Amino acid sequence: MKTVLSIGGSVLVPDLDAGRVSDYADVVESLAAAGHDLGVVVGGGPTAREYIGAARSLGANEGELDQLGIDTTRLNARLLLAALDEDLASPTVPTNYEEAAESLHRDRVVVMGGVVPAQTTDAVSAALAEYVDADRLVFATSVPGVFDADPEEDPDAGRYEEMTASDLVELVASGESLGSAGSNAPIDLLAAKVLDRSGIEAVVLDGTDPEAVERAVLDNDYEGTRITPDYD
């Protein structure tokens, strides 16, 4: 099975903890050993936000801030690569989808970060899954799925067990129209739209426990939200 795993930076590196990165590397190696062709996309997390905040205060423009975020995601990707068996993973971080696809075609695990400005690693993950015709996309985030309201503000917010990609697009878009993009959906609008057009099944789950991600991929055992194609 061809799987793209999107690991949020706040999940992989909430702080610079080598042990946590190693735990995620163990999961990646386990999934590869089980026969999964893996593309892994890593986010920037708090480190990227700190750099972007500092650069903004120094007068950097939005394009420069985007590039700084991309660079940080690629550093996080290199950190995960350092923990992986060198015979398993492609040794470099792809900077575009063609490079990633070529490595996957050589049966190498691919680990990448951001690609272009104004595109989050959520969108990169969805676009990579579409580009390589993945069977499934798993978003390992810091929240346990997609909710009908912001769970940090509404204690009665309910989690969707399952929803269609088009419903996800409507939910995220409505949040953006209210000026609170992504507050109740942990992936962004572009990622949701790519999922909608690609027909790829996705799962959004809490990735703070790396073993939970492993169970989700290997055993389809998870607490989160399943996102299905409209024609499923």
Side-chain angles (χ1 to χ4, degrees):
M1 177 177 269
K2 191 177 295 181
T3 302
V4 171
L5 177 57
S6 176
I7 308 176
S10 59
V11 166
L12 180 69
V13 280
D15 48 50
L16 205 54
D17 180 0
R20 184 167 186 79
V21 176
S22 180
D23 287 344
Y24 252 107
D26 289 344
V27 169
V28 171
E29 291 175 354
S30 173
L31 297 179
H36 287 266
D37 296 323
L38 280 177
V40 182
V41 181
V42 179
T47 302
R49 289 190 287 274
E50 287 180 13
Y51 270 99
I52 289 170
R56 180 175 283 116
S57 69
L58 294 170
N61 63 41
E62 292 302 311
E64 292 169 327
L65 297 179
D66 277 351
Q67 190 59 54
L68 191 58
I70 290 170
D71 291 342
T72 309
T73 65
R74 292 175 179 173
L75 280 175
N76 287 343
R78 288 186 180 278
L79 191 62
L80 181 57
L81 270 180
L84 290 172
D85 186 330
E86 61 182 14
D87 294 327
L88 177 70
S90 178
T92 59
V93 175
T95 58
N96 58 58
Y97 303 112
E98 292 87 351
E99 292 176 11
E102 287 174 6
S103 293
L104 277 172
H105 289 158
R106 294 195 297 269
D107 295 324
R108 306 298 298 274
V109 172
V110 173
V111 184
M112 64 188 297
V115 175
V116 295
Q119 187 180 79
T120 68
T121 49
D122 293 343
V124 171
S125 302
L128 177 62
E130 182 179 54
Y131 195 90
V132 302
D133 293 321
D135 300 293
R136 199 181 207 191
L137 170 56
V138 176
F139 290 97
T141 75
S142 57
V143 293
V146 180
F147 288 77
D148 58 11
D150 186 346
E152 293 187 0
E153 297 182 0
D154 184 352
D156 296 322
R159 185 184 71 210
Y160 293 95
E161 298 295 324
E162 185 173 312
M163 66 193 312
T164 66
S166 61
D167 286 340
L168 178 65
V169 169
E170 290 183 12
L171 180 71
V172 180
S174 68
E176 290 201 348
S177 69
L178 295 172
S180 55
S183 60
N184 52 350
I187 63 176
D188 67 19
L189 183 58
L190 179 55
K193 287 183 174 180
V194 174
L195 281 178
D196 189 24
R197 78 179 186 185
S198 68
I200 295 171
E201 179 180 305
V203 171
V204 180
L205 52 79
D206 185 347
T208 53
D209 176 10
E211 292 184 357
V213 178
E214 183 176 14
R215 291 193 300 272
V217 177
L218 292 181
D219 305 320
N220 202 31
D221 176 17
Y222 61 89
E223 291 185 8
T225 302
R226 178 180 178 231
I227 302 166
T228 64
D230 283 57
Y231 51 81
D232 185 41

